[in-house]
Amino acid sequence: MSVHMIWAQARNGVIGAAGDIPWRLPGEQRLFKERTMGSTVVMGRATWDSLPERVRPLPGRRNVVLTRDPGWKAEGAVVTHSPEEITEDDFWVIGGGGIYAAFLPRAEHLVRTTIDFDAEGDTFAPDLGPEWVVSSSTGWITAETGHRYRIDDLERL
Ligand SMILES: Nc1nc(N)c2c(n1)CN(C(=O)COc1ccccc1N1CCC(C(=O)O)CC1)C2
């Protein structure tokens, strides 16, 4: 089972605010799409709800949604009620905060975008222990909006 996690965070660790992402960086979204295309993506119900309907389910990927609600279902979503139920051998965890924290112990590979600003928000990236090391990095990319961001791949030592 190889578990990948992918997220974008502000310098101060914020990944979400009131059910949305407090920035819009199309270039970064394109990189997310490229990295996950063709794979299984696993997300919490709130992240599913945060996707615009036109891209829900995320096209070209098997969308697995984790929820405690036994009655929840949605067109295009494979519903799962606990992380232990996920037995796929290779998938990408795409949020949100609680889901990243739940899967971090099982993750083998992280793709972390850091945006070079501090954001206001209520949801944070998982705390990474010293066992996580950057295995490759894009270096700073300047977005159309002038914001700088970088994408690091991390592996466990
Ligand atoms: N590094 C990294 N990790 C993450 N987990 C995520 C990102 N960046 C960026 N994210 C989002 O913006 C979430 O999605 C969207 C949100 C609002 C509007 C469009 C979108 N979509 C973007 C993805 C498109 C696709 O993939 O097809 C469909 C449209 C999740």
Side-chain angles (χ1 to χ4, degrees):
M1 175 186 293
S2 79
V3 179
H4 313 268
M5 302 209 310
I6 184 166
W7 73 86
Q9 66 174 78
R11 203 170 34 213
N12 60 349
V14 164
I15 62 172
D20 200 355
I21 296 176
W23 56 79
R24 200 56 95 234
L25 292 174
E28 204 287 326
Q29 291 179 311
R30 271 194 300 280
L31 285 158
F32 164 81
K33 181 173 187 175
E34 282 163 22
R35 295 297 291 258
T36 59
M37 187 48 72
S39 304
T40 294
V41 291
V42 174
M43 71 192 93
R45 196 265 311 142
T47 295
W48 170 270
D49 288 345
S50 76
L51 295 173
E53 284 190 30
R54 63 179 162 76
V55 288
R56 207 169 64 192
L58 287 171
R61 286 145 285 185
R62 180 173 153 83
N63 286 227
V64 175
V65 177
L66 268 169
T67 175
R68 290 195 186 84
D69 176 348
W72 191 88
K73 55 176 174 296
E75 185 70 32
V78 172
V79 186
T80 308
H81 299 108
S82 88
E84 289 64 43
E85 269 182 39
I86 298 174
T87 56
E88 315 231 357
D89 62 357
D90 185 292
F91 58 87
W92 288 77
V93 176
I94 66 166
I99 304 297
Y100 291 127
F103 280 94
L104 183 62
R106 282 200 276 170
E108 288 172 15
H109 169 224
L110 310 177
V111 178
R112 175 189 62 198
T113 296
T114 304
I115 303 164
D116 196 17
F117 68 18
D118 292 329
E120 290 287 309
D122 52 32
T123 314
F124 290 83
D127 287 326
L128 303 184
E131 70 275 21
W132 288 103
V133 293
V134 176
S135 54
S136 73
S137 174
T138 58
W140 291 110
I141 297 168
T142 303
E144 310 87 347
T145 55
H147 291 104
R148 295 195 320 165
Y149 62 93
R150 57 183 296 128
I151 302 176
D152 298 330
D153 281 74
L154 297 102
E155 322 271 347
R156 284 180 193 280
L157 258 184

